[in-house]
Amino acid sequence: MNFENSSAVLLAGDSLELLKQIPDHSISLVLTDPPYHTTKKKNITNDTAFESDEDFLTWLDLYSNEWYRILRPNGSIYVYCSSAMAARIEILLMKRFNVLAHIVWTKPNDPGFDGWKQKMKKESLRQWYDHSERIIFAEPSYEGNLNKSSFGNFLKNVRLTSNISGHQLTELIGAYGKVNHGGSVHNWEAGRNIPSRDQYKKICEAILTFGIIKEMPPYEDVIRPFEVNSMVEFTDVWNFCSVRPYDGKHPAEKPIDMLEHSILSTTYEGDIVLDCFAGSG
Ligand SMILES: C[S@@+](CC[C@H](N)C(=O)[O-])C[C@H]1O[C@@H](n2cnc3c(N)ncnc32)[C@H](O)[C@@H]1O
Protein backbone atom coordinates (compact mmCIF):
# COMPACT_ATOMS: atom_id res chain seq x y z
CA MET A 1 0.00 0.00 0.00
CA ASN A 2 1.37 3.41 -0.90
CA PHE A 3 0.80 6.68 0.91
CA GLU A 4 1.39 10.29 0.00
CA ASN A 5 0.85 13.67 1.67
CA SER A 6 2.30 17.14 1.14
CA SER A 7 5.63 16.27 2.78
CA ALA A 8 6.13 12.52 2.32
CA VAL A 9 5.75 9.65 -0.12
CA LEU A 10 5.76 6.09 1.17
CA LEU A 11 6.06 3.24 -1.35
CA ALA A 12 5.66 -0.44 -0.52
CA GLY A 13 7.90 -2.84 -2.41
CA ASP A 14 11.44 -3.99 -2.98
CA SER A 15 13.40 -0.77 -2.55
CA LEU A 16 16.17 -1.91 -4.89
CA GLU A 17 13.62 -1.98 -7.71
CA LEU A 18 11.86 1.22 -6.61
CA LEU A 19 15.19 3.06 -6.41
CA LYS A 20 15.64 2.64 -10.15
CA GLN A 21 12.67 4.97 -10.72
CA ILE A 22 14.36 7.84 -8.85
CA PRO A 23 16.06 10.37 -11.15
CA ASP A 24 19.83 10.96 -11.01
CA HIS A 25 21.11 13.52 -8.49
CA SER A 26 17.66 14.29 -7.08
CA ILE A 27 18.06 13.34 -3.40
CA SER A 28 19.80 15.48 -0.77
CA LEU A 29 20.08 12.96 2.02
CA VAL A 30 19.99 9.17 2.15
CA LEU A 31 19.25 8.18 5.75
CA THR A 32 18.80 4.47 5.82
CA ASP A 33 18.86 1.44 8.05
CA PRO A 34 19.37 -1.77 6.03
CA PRO A 35 18.89 -5.24 7.53
CA TYR A 36 21.93 -5.90 9.72
CA HIS A 37 22.54 -9.49 8.58
CA THR A 38 23.78 -10.32 12.07
CA THR A 39 20.69 -11.50 13.87
CA LYS A 40 19.38 -15.06 13.68
CA LYS A 41 15.82 -13.87 14.23
CA LYS A 42 13.42 -14.12 11.32
CA ASN A 43 11.36 -11.10 12.34
CA ILE A 44 13.08 -8.60 10.04
CA THR A 45 12.88 -9.10 6.28
CA ASN A 46 16.28 -9.88 4.75
CA ASP A 47 18.11 -10.15 8.07
CA THR A 48 18.56 -13.90 7.55
CA ALA A 49 18.12 -13.99 3.77
CA PHE A 50 21.81 -14.08 2.81
CA GLU A 51 23.78 -17.30 3.02
CA SER A 52 27.10 -15.58 3.44
CA ASP A 53 28.50 -12.19 4.38
CA GLU A 54 29.70 -11.86 0.79
CA ASP A 55 26.15 -12.34 -0.55
CA PHE A 56 24.90 -9.64 1.80
CA LEU A 57 27.67 -7.22 0.81
CA THR A 58 27.11 -7.87 -2.91
CA TRP A 59 23.44 -6.99 -2.43
CA LEU A 60 24.31 -3.85 -0.44
CA ASP A 61 26.75 -2.83 -3.15
CA LEU A 62 23.83 -2.66 -5.61
CA TYR A 63 22.22 -0.15 -3.24
CA SER A 64 25.45 1.80 -2.87
CA ASN A 65 25.60 2.16 -6.65
CA GLU A 66 22.03 3.50 -6.74
CA TRP A 67 22.63 5.83 -3.77
CA TYR A 68 25.60 7.34 -5.56
CA ARG A 69 23.54 7.84 -8.73
CA ILE A 70 20.55 9.52 -7.06
CA LEU A 71 22.41 11.68 -4.52
CA ARG A 72 23.12 15.29 -5.37
CA PRO A 73 26.87 15.98 -5.48
CA ASN A 74 26.51 18.04 -2.29
CA GLY A 75 24.35 15.41 -0.61
CA SER A 76 25.10 13.17 2.36
CA ILE A 77 24.40 9.61 3.39
CA TYR A 78 23.96 7.81 6.72
CA VAL A 79 24.01 4.02 6.69
CA TYR A 80 23.17 2.24 9.94
CA CYS A 81 24.92 -1.03 10.57
CA SER A 82 25.89 -3.47 13.27
CA SER A 83 29.35 -3.19 14.77
CA ALA A 84 30.08 -6.67 13.35
CA MET A 85 29.51 -5.62 9.71
CA ALA A 86 30.54 -1.95 9.98
CA ALA A 87 34.14 -2.25 8.79
CA ARG A 88 33.22 -4.16 5.65
CA ILE A 89 30.28 -1.87 4.86
CA GLU A 90 32.55 1.13 5.30
CA ILE A 91 35.05 -0.30 2.79
CA LEU A 92 32.22 -1.10 0.40
CA LEU A 93 30.90 2.48 0.61
CA MET A 94 34.40 3.90 0.08
CA LYS A 95 34.27 2.78 -3.57
CA ARG A 96 31.91 5.69 -4.23
CA PHE A 97 31.81 7.86 -1.11
CA ASN A 98 34.18 9.79 1.14
CA VAL A 99 33.52 8.38 4.57
CA LEU A 100 33.48 11.38 6.91
CA ALA A 101 32.53 9.75 10.20
CA HIS A 102 32.00 6.43 11.79
CA ILE A 103 29.40 7.39 14.39
CA VAL A 104 28.96 5.20 17.44
CA TRP A 105 25.38 5.18 18.68
CA THR A 106 25.37 4.31 22.37
CA LYS A 107 22.10 3.60 24.10
CA PRO A 108 22.15 5.08 27.60
CA ASN A 109 18.92 3.33 28.53
CA ASP A 110 17.55 3.09 32.06
CA PRO A 111 18.13 -0.25 33.86
CA GLY A 112 15.43 -2.66 32.79
CA PHE A 113 15.27 -1.14 29.32
CA ASP A 114 18.79 -1.83 28.17
CA GLY A 115 18.42 -5.23 26.55
CA TRP A 116 20.52 -7.99 28.06
CA LYS A 117 23.16 -5.64 29.48
CA GLN A 118 22.12 -5.90 33.17
CA LYS A 119 20.54 -9.36 33.00
CA MET A 120 23.37 -11.44 31.61
CA LYS A 121 26.17 -13.15 33.51
CA LYS A 122 29.16 -10.88 32.88
CA GLU A 123 31.69 -13.54 33.90
CA SER A 124 30.57 -15.74 31.02
CA LEU A 125 31.35 -13.12 28.34
CA ARG A 126 33.96 -14.12 25.77
CA GLN A 127 34.20 -10.63 24.21
CA TRP A 128 33.16 -7.04 25.03
CA TYR A 129 29.39 -6.82 25.34
CA ASP A 130 28.03 -5.26 22.16
CA HIS A 131 25.99 -2.28 23.35
CA SER A 132 26.33 0.16 20.48
CA GLU A 133 25.57 0.43 16.79
CA ARG A 134 27.47 2.14 13.98
CA ILE A 135 26.27 4.83 11.60
CA ILE A 136 28.51 5.52 8.64
CA PHE A 137 28.29 9.11 7.47
CA ALA A 138 29.64 9.94 4.03
CA GLU A 139 29.41 12.24 1.01
CA PRO A 140 29.58 11.24 -2.67
CA SER A 141 33.21 11.28 -3.75
CA TYR A 142 34.27 13.26 -6.77
CA GLU A 143 35.61 10.94 -9.48
CA GLY A 144 36.52 8.48 -6.76
CA ASN A 145 39.19 10.85 -5.48
CA LEU A 146 39.12 11.42 -1.73
CA ASN A 147 41.17 14.58 -2.07
CA LYS A 148 38.77 16.28 -4.47
CA SER A 149 35.32 17.72 -3.89
CA SER A 150 32.57 18.51 -6.36
CA PHE A 151 32.49 22.09 -5.09
CA GLY A 152 36.28 22.43 -5.51
CA ASN A 153 36.00 21.21 -9.07
CA PHE A 154 33.06 23.50 -9.80
CA LEU A 155 34.92 26.55 -8.44
CA LYS A 156 38.04 25.76 -10.44
CA ASN A 157 35.97 25.35 -13.61
CA VAL A 158 34.14 28.67 -13.29
CA ARG A 159 37.38 30.46 -12.34
CA LEU A 160 39.33 29.06 -15.29
CA THR A 161 36.42 29.68 -17.69
CA SER A 162 36.47 33.31 -16.53
CA ASN A 163 40.26 33.49 -17.05
CA ILE A 164 40.93 34.52 -13.44
CA SER A 165 43.97 33.35 -11.51
CA GLY A 166 43.61 31.96 -8.00
CA HIS A 167 45.43 35.04 -6.65
CA GLN A 168 43.12 37.41 -8.51
CA LEU A 169 40.01 35.72 -7.15
CA THR A 170 41.49 35.73 -3.64
CA GLU A 171 42.16 39.50 -3.96
CA LEU A 172 38.61 40.12 -5.19
CA ILE A 173 37.06 38.19 -2.30
CA GLY A 174 39.59 39.37 0.28
CA ALA A 175 39.93 35.81 1.53
CA TYR A 176 43.64 35.45 2.20
CA GLY A 177 44.88 32.29 3.80
CA LYS A 178 46.90 32.47 6.99
CA VAL A 179 49.85 30.67 5.40
CA ASN A 180 50.01 31.39 1.69
CA HIS A 181 48.73 34.20 -0.49
CA GLY A 182 46.77 31.82 -2.77
CA GLY A 183 44.77 31.45 0.42
CA SER A 184 41.23 30.28 0.72
CA VAL A 185 40.52 29.89 -3.01
CA HIS A 186 43.28 27.33 -3.21
CA ASN A 187 41.94 25.49 -0.16
CA TRP A 188 38.37 25.53 -1.49
CA GLU A 189 39.45 24.20 -4.87
CA ALA A 190 41.52 21.50 -3.21
CA GLY A 191 38.45 20.44 -1.23
CA ARG A 192 40.12 21.17 2.11
CA ASN A 193 37.38 23.48 3.34
CA ILE A 194 34.34 25.44 2.17
CA PRO A 195 33.41 29.11 1.84
CA SER A 196 30.88 30.66 4.20
CA ARG A 197 27.65 32.00 2.71
CA ASP A 198 29.14 35.47 2.75
CA GLN A 199 32.32 34.33 1.01
CA TYR A 200 30.31 32.43 -1.60
CA LYS A 201 28.29 35.60 -2.30
CA LYS A 202 31.57 37.41 -2.97
CA ILE A 203 32.80 34.57 -5.20
CA CYS A 204 29.60 34.84 -7.27
CA GLU A 205 29.91 38.63 -7.54
CA ALA A 206 33.54 38.34 -8.62
CA ILE A 207 32.91 35.60 -11.21
CA LEU A 208 29.87 37.38 -12.69
CA THR A 209 31.83 40.66 -13.01
CA PHE A 210 34.00 39.02 -15.67
CA GLY A 211 30.88 38.41 -17.76
CA ILE A 212 31.79 34.99 -19.17
CA ILE A 213 29.79 32.98 -16.63
CA LYS A 214 26.27 34.43 -16.72
CA GLU A 215 24.71 32.71 -13.72
CA MET A 216 25.98 31.13 -10.50
CA PRO A 217 23.98 28.48 -8.60
CA PRO A 218 22.64 29.18 -5.10
CA TYR A 219 24.78 28.20 -2.09
CA GLU A 220 22.37 25.34 -1.26
CA ASP A 221 23.04 23.72 -4.64
CA VAL A 222 26.80 23.50 -4.27
CA ILE A 223 27.73 23.34 -0.58
CA ARG A 224 26.98 20.24 1.49
CA PRO A 225 24.83 21.28 4.46
CA PHE A 226 26.28 20.69 7.90
CA GLU A 227 25.14 22.60 10.94
CA VAL A 228 25.68 21.72 14.58
CA ASN A 229 26.28 23.74 17.73
CA SER A 230 27.27 23.19 21.33
CA MET A 231 23.63 22.47 22.33
CA VAL A 232 23.39 19.25 20.27
CA GLU A 233 25.51 16.13 19.74
CA PHE A 234 28.40 17.37 17.63
CA THR A 235 30.85 14.52 18.14
CA ASP A 236 30.79 11.09 16.53
CA VAL A 237 29.48 9.51 19.74
CA TRP A 238 25.70 9.79 19.87
CA ASN A 239 23.74 9.12 23.04
CA PHE A 240 20.11 8.50 22.19
CA CYS A 241 17.88 6.12 24.16
CA SER A 242 16.34 3.22 22.24
CA VAL A 243 12.61 3.17 21.63
CA ARG A 244 10.86 1.60 24.64
CA PRO A 245 8.81 -1.52 23.95
CA TYR A 246 5.14 -1.02 23.05
CA ASP A 247 2.52 -3.16 21.36
CA GLY A 248 3.38 -3.54 17.69
CA LYS A 249 6.86 -1.99 18.00
CA HIS A 250 9.16 -2.75 15.06
CA PRO A 251 12.15 -4.73 16.39
CA ALA A 252 14.64 -2.29 14.86
CA GLU A 253 12.75 0.96 15.34
CA LYS A 254 15.11 3.93 15.53
CA PRO A 255 14.37 6.80 17.95
CA ILE A 256 12.79 9.84 16.32
CA ASP A 257 15.07 12.31 18.16
CA MET A 258 18.11 10.65 16.58
CA LEU A 259 16.57 10.83 13.09
CA GLU A 260 15.61 14.47 13.65
CA HIS A 261 19.14 15.24 14.78
CA SER A 262 20.62 13.68 11.62
CA ILE A 263 18.18 15.42 9.29
CA LEU A 264 18.35 18.87 10.90
CA SER A 265 22.15 18.95 10.92
CA THR A 266 22.70 17.75 7.36
CA THR A 267 19.91 19.16 5.19
CA TYR A 268 18.60 22.51 4.10
CA GLU A 269 14.92 23.20 4.67
CA GLY A 270 12.79 21.60 1.96
CA ASP A 271 15.44 19.02 0.96
CA ILE A 272 14.41 15.51 -0.05
CA VAL A 273 15.40 12.70 2.34
CA LEU A 274 15.28 9.06 1.27
CA ASP A 275 15.00 5.96 3.45
CA CYS A 276 15.08 2.63 1.57
CA PHE A 277 14.40 0.49 4.66
CA ALA A 278 11.62 2.32 6.46
CA GLY A 279 10.59 -0.52 8.77
CA SER A 280 8.10 1.13 11.13
CA GLY A 281 7.98 4.04 8.70
C1 LIG B 1 16.83 -2.50 10.32
S1 LIG B 1 15.18 -2.42 9.81
C2 LIG B 1 14.81 -0.69 9.72
C3 LIG B 1 13.97 -0.17 10.84
C4 LIG B 1 13.61 1.30 10.73
N1 LIG B 1 14.79 2.13 10.75
C5 LIG B 1 12.65 1.76 11.80
O1 LIG B 1 12.95 2.74 12.51
O2 LIG B 1 11.60 1.17 11.93
C6 LIG B 1 15.29 -2.88 8.12
C7 LIG B 1 13.95 -2.86 7.39
O3 LIG B 1 14.18 -3.02 5.98
C8 LIG B 1 13.12 -3.82 5.44
N2 LIG B 1 13.64 -4.39 4.18
C9 LIG B 1 14.49 -5.42 4.02
N3 LIG B 1 14.72 -5.65 2.71
C10 LIG B 1 14.02 -4.73 2.02
C11 LIG B 1 13.85 -4.44 0.63
N4 LIG B 1 14.47 -5.13 -0.31
N5 LIG B 1 13.04 -3.40 0.29
C12 LIG B 1 12.40 -2.67 1.24
N6 LIG B 1 12.53 -2.88 2.58
C13 LIG B 1 13.32 -3.91 2.96
C14 LIG B 1 12.85 -4.83 6.53
O4 LIG B 1 11.54 -5.31 6.42
C15 LIG B 1 13.03 -3.96 7.82
O5 LIG B 1 11.78 -3.40 8.19
Side-chain angles (χ1 to χ4, degrees):
M1 195 184 74
N2 298 332
F3 168 84
E4 186 172 348
N5 69 13
S6 58
S7 60
V9 178
L10 196 60
L11 301 178
D14 179 355
S15 54
L16 193 53
E17 289 309 310
L18 293 168
L19 264 173
K20 293 179 182 147
Q21 297 172 24
I22 298 181
D24 294 359
H25 308 307
S26 59
I27 303 291
S28 295
L29 180 69
V30 171
L31 172 58
T32 204
D33 183 18
Y36 280 10
H37 173 68
T38 42
T39 147
K40 300 275 181 286
K41 291 183 199 149
K42 294 223 184 293
N43 56 3
I44 302 182
T45 307
N46 277 339
D47 240 345
T48 55
F50 302 95
E51 291 245 323
S52 67
D53 293 355
E54 275 319 306
D55 288 349
F56 171 69
L57 293 167
T58 303
W59 176 75
L60 211 53
D61 196 45
L62 300 173
Y63 277 92
S64 167
N65 189 41
E66 289 296 318
W67 292 332
Y68 185 77
R69 179 185 66 75
I70 60 168
L71 263 179
R72 290 161 58 114
N74 67 330
S76 319
I77 177 166
Y78 295 89
V79 181
Y80 283 74
C81 44
S82 69
S83 50
M85 295 305 292
R88 281 173 286 175
I89 294 176
E90 188 169 334
I91 289 169
L92 179 154
L93 290 172
M94 281 168 80
K95 281 201 264 176
R96 304 177 183 91
F97 298 91
N98 300 334
V99 173
L100 300 169
H102 187 124
I103 298 161
V104 177
W105 170 33
T106 72
K107 301 166 193 172
N109 300 336
D110 295 336
F113 295 97
D114 54 1
W116 287 100
K117 189 175 159 209
Q118 304 297 340
K119 295 172 209 142
M120 68 187 322
K121 194 164 176 250
K122 281 67 178 178
E123 296 75 13
S124 64
L125 281 171
R126 297 287 298 141
Q127 63 177 60
W128 305 109
Y129 180 72
D130 189 2
H131 196 57
S132 62
E133 293 181 30
R134 304 289 178 271
I135 309 165
I136 298 168
F137 175 63
E139 63 180 357
S141 66
Y142 182 76
E143 292 179 346
N145 187 329
L146 301 189
N147 297 313
K148 282 187 175 180
S149 73
S150 66
F151 174 73
N153 182 64
F154 159 77
L155 180 60
K156 194 168 181 181
N157 274 344
V158 292
R159 179 177 66 71
L160 293 178
T161 308
S162 305
N163 295 318
I164 320 175
S165 72
H167 278 190
Q168 250 180 311
L169 188 57
T170 302
E171 299 276 349
L172 286 167
I173 304 166
Y176 305 105
K178 288 201 176 89
V179 180
N180 64 36
H181 198 65
S184 305
V185 171
H186 186 68
N187 281 333
W188 296 330
E189 288 186 3
R192 276 192 281 276
N193 50 33
I194 53 157
S196 64
R197 261 177 202 279
D198 199 41
Q199 287 168 324
Y200 183 67
K201 194 166 162 256
K202 290 182 184 161
I203 293 174
C204 294
E205 283 163 4
I207 296 283
L208 294 173
T209 308
F210 284 77
I212 297 171
I213 302 281
K214 304 287 184 211
E215 200 178 352
M216 288 286 282
Y219 189 77
E220 291 78 9
D221 282 357
V222 287
I223 301 291
R224 177 172 55 79
F226 191 81
E227 197 177 318
V228 290
N229 58 55
S230 59
M231 305 300 286
V232 297
E233 296 281 15
F234 60 92
T235 75
D236 55 3
V237 180
W238 288 6
N239 293 294
F240 291 96
C241 297
S242 334
V243 179
R244 293 235 174 143
Y246 63 89
D247 263 357
K249 178 184 168 294
H250 187 285
E253 187 171 328
K254 297 295 177 286
I256 285 184
D257 52 352
M258 182 164 66
L259 302 178
E260 270 175 354
H261 175 56
S262 322
I263 294 170
L264 288 176
S265 47
T266 51
T267 52
Y268 296 113
E269 204 172 334
D271 276 354
I272 300 179
V273 180
L274 173 79
D275 181 2
C276 305
F277 301 101
S280 63

